[in-house]
Amino acid sequence: ADISPDPSNPENSGNEINGLTLGGVGAGTTVEYCEVAYNLDDGFEAFGGTVSLRFCSSVFNGDDQFDFDEGYRGQLERLFAFAGANGDRAIECDSESDGGRDAIPRTRIEVVHSTFIGNPTSNNPTVKIREGASGVIALSIITDASENGVG
């Protein structure tokens, strides 16, 4: 599936609408073979839950390509992200959206066999894990960050 906004629709201008929002989706669900491109906000965003993503692509979105918050704990396999010059980060992880390091539940990602390309014109890291979040990124490529790959 390809999820791209209709630029002629006035509802798509100025709104922070994610390409695909996953709110508390459980471990029995796997999103596979899905792409979000040219969205104005995040490509994929998971608020809590344990849904898995496999073979997903997120490119040229206006904010983060993949964003995990509010205690998300999932497995991510064979993802591709390219922020481009207008995007922010390939991945952003927070435990709580309003900034608490001690927030419970804590976001934790497990990523394998993936490629993350950041914004080559920005000083932001390609992958940002903060506010009590944690994760493992293995057998993956993180590139095109002007200063730090992971922050």
Side-chain angles (χ1 to χ4, degrees), residues 62-151:
D63 193 11
D64 304 311
Q65 306 313 299
F66 293 94
D67 194 343
F68 305 101
D69 303 301
E70 307 293 335
Y72 170 80
R73 297 176 82 69
Q75 297 174 343
L76 311 163
E77 180 183 356
R78 300 189 191 281
L79 303 183
F80 177 79
F82 185 17
N86 294 320
D88 194 12
R89 298 181 175 94
I91 292 182
E92 182 177 273
C93 294
D94 306 290
S95 284
E96 188 175 296
S97 58
D98 61 0
R101 286 182 180 239
D102 297 325
I104 302 288
R106 293 185 185 258
T107 298
R108 178 169 167 62
I109 60 171
E110 297 177 11
V111 182
V112 294
H113 305 294
S114 297
T115 300
F116 303 110
I117 305 170
N119 180 337
T121 64
S122 169
N123 290 331
N124 289 332
T126 300
V127 174
K128 182 74 170 182
I129 299 175
R130 63 182 177 193
E131 298 173 1
S134 65
V136 174
I137 300 174
L139 304 170
S140 297
I141 297 169
I142 300 171
T143 189
D144 226 359
S146 61
E147 289 189 14
N148 300 308
V150 179

Side-chain angles (χ1 to χ4, degrees), residues 22-60:
L22 303 160
V25 179
T29 305
T30 301
V31 175
E32 293 182 317
Y33 303 102
C34 190
E35 177 179 75
V36 178
Y38 299 100
N39 195 53
L40 296 178
D41 195 35
D42 297 326
F44 292 79
E45 184 157 10
F47 295 96
T50 53
V51 62
S52 295
L53 300 179
R54 295 181 64 222
F55 302 101
C56 292
S57 172
S58 189
V59 296
F60 303 115

